[in-house]
């Protein structure tokens, strides 16, 4: 049973109510989650406010040591964490073990170490005056995260908020609450002082909304859908809260004929279907230069057909379950829409019924669609599942126009061995992250975030440390 973590204690929701948590690979409930509301958020904010003066004045070495301890305890329990993430989300166990949980550990380690190099500026006005900037913690901050990379994204927000001296009220997705609950147990064991981190579980429209509308929560870091981001901003902006919004995407993967073909092919299978395509950075629109279109189509389809859809707990599974029934139905409705828009399904397109334990699970075949115009709904709206479209192109200008045609601007991928072209296209493509001849290569020091409807603000490295602090300039007259 999942519980809230408020003021250092594991407690039930004030309402006393719970809702079911599903195992997507079986399609059945296996646990219960507290149905929290504004009363629980109020308790969490009070605890965070009480903890703030002491935590924000705790020497940075001590804060860092506690955060490092949290990282080492997750490392100790990595097997349990990976299994829990796999069961809760439906992702393959191997992925949770090699990507999700190691990255959650790394998030804590990275920020516990990055804080030591976090300095602020000084501006001298010759012998007239000197300015220096103080970067102080904000106070109580809110963090709201999605279900696709549950612990990975939850900790990406919590770690920089805590290390800069803030106290946090955090809400994981109601669809994948378990590893956040396990993190609360780890925080207690690591000796994180009471109230410094509070984890409140529940639905977005209740618990999440109570966070965005609480007057004492001065900053909100959110990752999730674009529409939810707009809702949060509409409540938080008039209250002058600091906001960092990491939202949806519809990322282009642009393949030029002169690319390193084998490397591109191998990576494109991953950038299309990893985590069942439920990664905001997946390249769901694949643009292929005409001379290699037919060859790519044949090879890519053949490789995709070999992906093993199966029990996420099995070591040889490439494609696990879709996170929820509702999300599975949404993806299937987009495949139907693609057909209605005139698309041809080259492979996949259907729900999969497995044998045994996963018989009623929510599985969808990796799906490739061609023959659609670049500006139809299928090619403009975020599907967030194992569905990609193939679109041929002839010139750089044409592909840039098509790639930049959605409202989104999160990430893009460019495949070419032509150095000048790689830089030229990267400069003109309107996304916050551009990968050239690679995908998902992440250095945590780099700014991370999207343009346009993919978000506002940047996370990662110094950007995150700056987001969670308030810059103040002190000017001292020298004579
Ligand atoms: P979602 O927006 O439905 O939910 C995200 C979180 O917000 C959940 O915790 C949810 O409970 C909460 N929430 C929902 N309604 C709320 C409200 N009115 N007020 C406050 N909180 C509310 O998103 P999701 O379905 O969990 O995640 C998928 C989306 O996340 C996709 O659009 C994907 O692209 C995006 N995403 C973006 C990034 C990024 O870095 N840009 C990373 C991962 C996922």
């Amino acid at each position: 049973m999942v519980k809230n973590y408020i003021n250092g204690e594991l407690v039930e929701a004030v309402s006393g109510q719970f809702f079911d948590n599903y195992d997507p690979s079986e399609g059945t409930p296996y646990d219960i989650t507290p149905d929290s509301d504004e009363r629980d958020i109020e308790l969490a904010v009070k605890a965070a406010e009480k903890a703030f003066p002491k935590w924000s004045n705790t020497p940075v070495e001590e804060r860092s040591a506690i955060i490092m301890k949290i990282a080492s305890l997750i490392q100790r329990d990595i097997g349990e964490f990976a299994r829990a993430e796999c069961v809760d989300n439906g992702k393959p166990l191997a992925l949770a073990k090699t990507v999700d949980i190691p990255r959650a550990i790394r998030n804590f380690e990275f920020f516990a170490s990055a804080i030591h190099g976090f300095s602020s500026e000084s501006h001298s006005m010759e012998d007239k005056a000197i300015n220096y900037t103080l970067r102080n913690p904000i106070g109580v901050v809110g963090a709201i995260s999605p279900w696709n990379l549950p612990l990975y994204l939850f900790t990406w927000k919590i770690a920089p908020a805590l290390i800069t001296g803030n106290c946090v009220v955090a809400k994981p997705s109601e669809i994948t609450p378990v590893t956040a609950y396990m993190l609360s147990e780890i925080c207690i064991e690591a000796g994180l002082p009471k109230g410094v981190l509070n984890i409140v579980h529940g639905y977005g429209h209740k618990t999440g909304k109570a966070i965005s509308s609480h007057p004492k929560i001065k900053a909100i870091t959110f990752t999730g859908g674009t529409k939810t981001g707009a809702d949060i901003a509409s409540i938080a902006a008039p209250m002058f809260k600091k906001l960092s919004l990491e939202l949806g995407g519809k990322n282009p993967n642009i393949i030029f004929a002169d690319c390193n073909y084998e490397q591109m092919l191998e990576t494109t299978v991953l950038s299309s279907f990893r985590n069942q395509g439920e990664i905001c950075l997946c390249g769901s629109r694949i643009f292929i230069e005409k001379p290699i279109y037919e060859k790519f189509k044949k090879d890519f389809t053949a490789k995709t057909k070999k992906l093993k859809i199966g029990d996420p707990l099995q070591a040889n599974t490439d494609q696990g379950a879709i996170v929820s029934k509702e999300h599975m139905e949404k993806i299937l409705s987009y495949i139907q829409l693609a057909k209605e828009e005139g698309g041809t399904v080259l492979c996949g397109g259907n729900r999969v019924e497995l044998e045994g334990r996963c018989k009623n699970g929510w599985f969808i075949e990796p799906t490739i669609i061609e023959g659609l115009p670049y500006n139809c709904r299928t090619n403009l709206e975020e599907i967030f599942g194992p569905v990609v479209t193939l679109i041929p192109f002839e010139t750089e200008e044409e592909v840039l126009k098509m790639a930049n045609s959605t409202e989104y601007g999160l990430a893009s991928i460019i495949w070419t061995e032509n150095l000048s072209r790689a830089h030229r296209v990267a400069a003109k493509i309107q996304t916050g992250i551009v990968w050239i001849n690679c995908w998902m290569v992440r250095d945590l020091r780099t700014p991370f975030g999207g343009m346009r409807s993919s978000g506002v603000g940047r996370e990662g490295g110094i950007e995150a440390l700056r987001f969670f602090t308030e810059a103040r300039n002190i000017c001292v007259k020298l004579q």
Side-chain angles (χ1 to χ4, degrees):
M1 184 210 293
V2 167
K3 286 188 175 170
N4 288 337
Y5 171 49
I6 298 177
N7 201 25
E9 311 274 324
L10 299 175
V11 293
E12 292 183 12
V14 174
S15 68
Q17 302 295 306
F18 292 88
F19 53 80
D20 285 334
N21 182 22
Y22 284 78
D23 171 350
S25 67
E26 295 192 356
T28 48
Y30 79 105
D31 198 4
I32 50 173
T33 307
D35 185 1
S36 312
D37 57 31
E38 70 283 353
R39 292 170 293 175
D40 304 276
I41 294 299
E42 186 58 38
L43 291 174
V45 171
K46 286 228 162 78
E49 273 192 299
K50 195 160 159 231
F52 179 69
K54 184 141 187 246
W55 180 247
S56 56
N57 281 302
T58 299
V60 77
E61 290 77 12
E62 280 177 41
R63 289 205 297 259
S64 178
I66 296 177
I67 304 282
M68 280 300 213
K69 175 90 182 161
I70 293 173
S72 72
L73 292 175
I74 303 176
Q75 179 70 55
R76 181 198 66 192
D77 296 348
I78 190 165
E80 284 92 337
F81 269 95
R83 195 186 156 88
E85 204 72 296
C86 161
V87 172
D88 216 20
N89 170 279
K91 67 179 66 212
L93 179 59
L95 192 65
K97 223 183 241 171
T98 55
V99 176
D100 289 77
I101 309 304
R103 173 56 192 277
I105 296 166
R106 185 79 193 108
N107 287 339
F108 283 118
E109 289 173 347
F110 173 78
F111 283 109
S113 142
I115 194 68
H116 298 299
F118 186 45
S119 56
S120 59
E121 311 83 48
S122 153
H123 298 90
S124 164
M125 299 170 77
E126 290 71 46
D127 61 357
K128 213 163 46 178
I130 184 154
N131 296 275
Y132 61 90
T133 308
L134 288 180
R135 292 187 188 276
N136 302 117
I138 295 171
V140 181
V141 302
I144 304 176
S145 63
W147 48 257
N148 65 321
L149 301 164
L151 194 67
Y152 174 136
L153 289 173
F154 196 56
T155 53
W156 179 235
K157 300 180 169 307
I158 288 170
L162 292 178
I163 200 67
T164 40
N166 298 284
C167 292
V168 180
V169 176
K171 190 195 99 58
S173 170
E174 64 275 27
I175 300 171
T176 51
V178 173
T179 48
Y181 171 64
M182 291 167 73
L183 174 67
S184 358
E185 295 180 309
I186 291 279
C187 289
I188 295 170
E189 190 181 344
L192 187 70
K194 282 198 229 176
V196 168
L197 171 64
N198 302 274
I199 301 178
V200 187
H201 296 272
Y203 291 115
H205 65 274
K206 264 196 215 172
T207 321
K209 202 166 185 166
I211 292 179
S212 32
S213 48
H214 200 293
K216 296 277 176 61
I217 296 181
K218 298 293 182 200
I220 294 178
T221 165
F222 167 78
T223 299
T226 293
K227 196 179 160 303
T228 315
D231 278 358
I232 291 174
S234 73
I235 295 170
M239 297 168 88
F240 307 111
K241 295 184 187 217
K242 232 177 158 181
L243 279 176
S244 169
L245 304 174
E246 301 292 345
L247 310 176
K250 186 75 178 175
N251 309 311
N253 177 4
I254 303 175
I255 302 169
F256 288 96
D258 68 355
C259 67
N260 178 329
Y261 190 81
E262 287 310 317
Q263 247 185 43
M264 174 280 294
L265 191 61
E266 194 137 311
T267 308
T268 294
V269 174
L270 294 177
S271 67
S272 303
F273 301 119
R274 197 167 214 197
N275 203 42
Q276 300 71 247
E278 295 167 335
I279 302 182
C280 54
L281 306 164
C282 278
S284 55
R285 294 178 296 150
I286 309 180
F287 297 98
I288 309 111
E289 202 173 0
K290 270 205 175 136
I292 60 163
Y293 184 85
E294 288 305 323
K295 176 173 166 51
F296 173 80
K297 173 172 137 181
K298 185 166 140 276
D299 295 343
F300 180 57
T301 309
K303 253 187 165 344
T304 300
K305 281 185 176 160
K306 285 196 190 134
L307 291 174
K308 170 138 178 37
I309 310 164
D311 184 340
L313 288 167
Q314 297 288 328
N316 61 348
T317 292
D318 298 305
Q319 297 283 294
I322 301 298
V323 74
S324 67
K325 182 159 185 279
E326 192 188 13
H327 193 53
M328 175 186 72
E329 282 163 0
K330 176 187 156 189
I331 298 168
L332 291 171
S333 79
Y334 268 105
I335 296 172
Q336 180 57 30
L337 172 73
K339 289 182 196 159
E340 286 161 16
E341 289 184 318
T344 306
V345 176
L346 299 174
C347 85
N350 301 300
R351 182 176 178 180
V352 183
E353 285 191 16
L354 298 173
E355 301 281 302
R357 181 183 87 84
C358 299
K359 193 172 174 343
N360 297 315
W362 304 316
F363 296 84
I364 296 184
E365 295 167 318
T367 302
I368 307 174
I369 300 166
E370 72 165 354
L372 287 169
Y374 75 95
N375 54 0
C376 65
R377 277 187 58 205
T378 308
N379 275 327
L380 294 178
E381 296 174 18
E382 186 183 43
I383 301 174
F384 212 53
V387 181
V388 295
T389 56
L390 307 189
I391 307 160
F393 71 90
E394 278 182 53
T395 65
E396 237 174 82
E397 264 175 13
E398 183 195 13
V399 77
L400 274 165
K401 177 180 163 206
M402 295 195 287
N404 287 333
S405 64
T406 73
E407 63 167 312
Y408 297 107
L410 186 54
S412 53
I413 312 161
I414 302 166
W415 290 97
T416 178
E417 291 293 294
N418 178 329
L419 189 62
S420 339
R421 170 154 60 205
H423 289 293
R424 207 164 49 228
V425 176
K428 288 188 185 150
I429 202 149
Q430 291 173 19
T431 60
I433 300 147
V434 182
W435 276 296
I436 297 173
N437 298 331
C438 60
W439 177 69
M440 280 289 268
V441 176
R442 290 279 294 118
D443 181 328
L444 302 191
R445 293 169 300 182
T446 59
F448 179 92
M451 296 165 63
R452 308 196 281 181
S453 299
S454 289
V456 177
R458 293 290 177 272
E459 300 193 339
I462 199 166
E463 304 276 349
L465 299 176
R466 287 192 165 180
F467 175 76
F468 287 112
T469 50
E470 192 82 75
R472 296 163 57 228
N473 187 63
I474 317 292
C475 177
V476 187
K477 190 168 175 290
L478 294 180
Q479 337 203 353

